[in-house]
Amino acid sequence: MLAAIAAYGMWGFAPLYFYAVAEVPPIEIVMHRVIWSFGLMLVVVWFAGQAGRLRLLLQQPRKLGLLALTALLIGGNWLIFIWAVTNERLLEASLGYYINPLFNVALGLWFFGERPTRLQALAVALAACGVLIQLIKYGSVPWVALGLAGTFCVYGLLRKRVNLESASGLLVETGLLLPVALMSWLLLDTPTSDLLSNSTRLNALILSAGVVTTLPLLAFSYAVVRIPFFLLGMLQYIGPSLMFVLALTVIGETLERQQLITFAFVWTALLMMSIEGYRNAQRLRRNLQIESV
């Protein structure tokens, strides 16, 4: 549970890191995330003794093809998020991660034939209404929120099909993106692309991109197999809640009326989802007690 709280807490405070390197273009930050995450995950996989599994994975073209898609999706997700932070759109980014569980319900229905309960269906409908109200009444589409939720949900869907450990999967994903990242670094001509001309502080922050990327993922992968899924689902709201607070206090964004209406609909939907999750957990516990008797 502490590992899960640490993972979501690190994701929630991650905007502070990207805000600190706001002078670096978003595409360049993504490039550094790929390069330094690959190096760090190479060390992690080696010391975790997963090199043999990695060799087997490299002999499976279908899984590699799916990982190529997940690599593009996670790279796109990183780019949207970093752009949002550096352009003071963190409130909308936090909305995206609030919407994410509701997208999961919709994708589960569409791809796996899962039947949501009435409360879950109503929750998804409420969140959709919140987005539609903003679109119809105010003429604005929260594309950052929808982009983050959409890319991360499809990423999770494909990773579920690949059925691979987090460390090995991230190593392959960053490895597939590595040639593009290195080529981009060679072709980039920005004030910050040459590390030798940067300040020591900025270079330290840039080189920390790998740690910022991999540390919460490792904590999450440790927690996900050790605590109930319901509890994990409740704790995931730590991340967007911290982003929401940071946006209003540290970054100084303003919560506009149309955003508040959309947030209200989504928060209500998440409350309903949480109630349903609690009921399911209680029902499962009672069934297990009956079986044990």
Side-chain angles (χ1 to χ4, degrees), residues 39-59:
L40 187 56
M41 293 313 302
L42 199 61
V43 174
V44 170
V45 168
W46 178 264
F47 279 99
Q50 297 179 13
R53 296 179 186 178
L54 186 61
R55 282 193 292 270
L56 290 175
L57 173 63
L58 295 177
Q59 299 171 11

Side-chain angles (χ1 to χ4, degrees), residues 1-2 4-5 8 227 230-240:
M1 184 172 174
L2 288 175
I5 292 172
Y8 288 122
I227 63 175
F230 160 71
L231 182 57
L232 193 70
M234 293 294 293
L235 293 175
Q236 74 178 336
Y237 303 133
I238 292 174

Side-chain angles (χ1 to χ4, degrees), residues 21 31 39 64 108 179 187 206 229 260:
V21 293
M31 175 197 78
L64 287 176
L187 297 176
I206 288 174
F229 193 71
L260 182 59

Side-chain angles (χ1 to χ4, degrees), residues 251-289:
I251 297 180
E253 294 184 32
T254 303
L255 184 62
E256 299 177 358
R257 185 184 175 188
Q258 68 268 25
Q259 289 177 306
L260 182 59
I261 292 171
T262 302
F263 269 108
F265 271 88
V266 172
W267 286 334
T268 304
L270 291 175
L271 177 61
M272 296 169 68
M273 290 276 289
S274 299
I275 292 171
E276 183 66 17
Y278 178 76
R279 287 178 178 175
N280 289 337
Q282 292 292 96
R283 193 179 302 117
L284 179 62
R285 184 178 300 172
R286 285 196 298 269
N287 291 339
L288 289 174
Q289 288 175 346

Side-chain angles (χ1 to χ4, degrees), residues 191-259:
T192 55
S193 60
D194 183 8
L195 296 183
L196 296 177
S197 63
N198 294 337
S199 66
T200 304
R201 171 190 167 278
L202 181 58
N203 280 339
L205 287 170
I206 288 174
L207 295 176
S208 300
V211 176
V212 172
T213 301
T214 58
L215 200 58
L217 278 173
L218 292 174
F220 177 79
S221 63
Y222 178 86
V224 72
V225 296
R226 289 173 171 83
I227 63 175
F229 193 71
F230 160 71
L231 182 57
L232 193 70
M234 293 294 293
L235 293 175
Q236 74 178 336
Y237 303 133
I238 292 174
S241 298
L242 287 172
M243 293 178 198
F244 184 85
V245 173
L246 288 175
L248 295 177
T249 56
V250 178
I251 297 180
E253 294 184 32
T254 303
L255 184 62
E256 299 177 358
R257 185 184 175 188
Q258 68 268 25
Q259 289 177 306

Side-chain angles (χ1 to χ4, degrees), residues 5-278:
I5 292 172
Y8 288 122
M10 283 186 280
W11 276 323
F13 283 112
L16 293 177
Y17 168 78
F18 298 114
Y19 194 63
V21 293
E23 62 190 288
V24 183
I27 190 69
E28 192 175 333
I29 299 176
V30 172
M31 175 197 78
H32 283 294
R33 290 189 79 171
V34 170
I35 294 170
W36 307 120
S37 295
F38 175 78
L40 187 56
M41 293 313 302
L42 199 61
V43 174
V44 170
V45 168
W46 178 264
F47 279 99
Q50 297 179 13
R53 296 179 186 178
L54 186 61
R55 282 193 292 270
L56 290 175
L57 173 63
L58 295 177
Q59 299 171 11
Q60 302 178 58
R62 183 178 175 275
K63 284 191 174 183
L64 287 176
L66 287 174
L67 285 172
L69 290 176
T70 60
L72 292 174
L73 285 167
I74 199 63
N77 183 274
W78 290 347
L79 183 60
I80 295 170
F81 182 73
I82 295 166
W83 182 91
V85 174
T86 54
N87 286 273
E88 298 187 355
R89 301 280 290 272
L90 184 55
L91 279 174
E92 196 173 333
S94 71
L95 176 63
Y97 290 112
Y98 277 126
I99 292 175
N100 187 68
L102 303 167
F103 266 44
N104 286 337
V105 173
L107 285 179
L109 172 65
W110 184 265
F111 287 98
F112 298 109
E114 299 174 355
R115 298 190 63 180
T117 64
R118 291 181 180 178
L119 204 58
Q120 287 176 329
L122 182 57
V124 173
L126 272 177
C129 284
V131 175
L132 285 174
I133 287 173
Q134 184 170 338
L135 173 62
I136 295 170
K137 190 170 183 180
Y138 301 98
S140 60
V141 179
W143 69 267
V144 169
L146 296 176
L148 286 172
T151 52
F152 200 73
C153 280
V154 178
Y155 172 80
L157 172 71
L158 293 178
R159 282 299 300 268
K160 181 182 176 75
R161 294 200 170 191
V162 174
N163 191 24
L164 191 66
E165 292 179 356
S166 177
S168 300
L170 185 60
L171 175 61
V172 174
E173 286 167 347
T174 52
L176 290 169
L177 293 174
L178 186 63
V180 178
L182 292 173
M183 184 62 68
S184 299
W185 200 358
L186 290 173
L187 297 176
L188 274 177
D189 185 20
T190 65
T192 55
S193 60
D194 183 8
L195 296 183
L196 296 177
S197 63
N198 294 337
S199 66
T200 304
R201 171 190 167 278
L202 181 58
N203 280 339
L205 287 170
I206 288 174
L207 295 176
S208 300
V211 176
V212 172
T213 301
T214 58
L215 200 58
L217 278 173
L218 292 174
F220 177 79
S221 63
Y222 178 86
V224 72
V225 296
R226 289 173 171 83
I227 63 175
F229 193 71
F230 160 71
L231 182 57
L232 193 70
M234 293 294 293
L235 293 175
Q236 74 178 336
Y237 303 133
I238 292 174
S241 298
L242 287 172
M243 293 178 198
F244 184 85
V245 173
L246 288 175
L248 295 177
T249 56
V250 178
I251 297 180
E253 294 184 32
T254 303
L255 184 62
E256 299 177 358
R257 185 184 175 188
Q258 68 268 25
Q259 289 177 306
L260 182 59
I261 292 171
T262 302
F263 269 108
F265 271 88
V266 172
W267 286 334
T268 304
L270 291 175
L271 177 61
M272 296 169 68
M273 290 276 289
S274 299
I275 292 171
E276 183 66 17
Y278 178 76

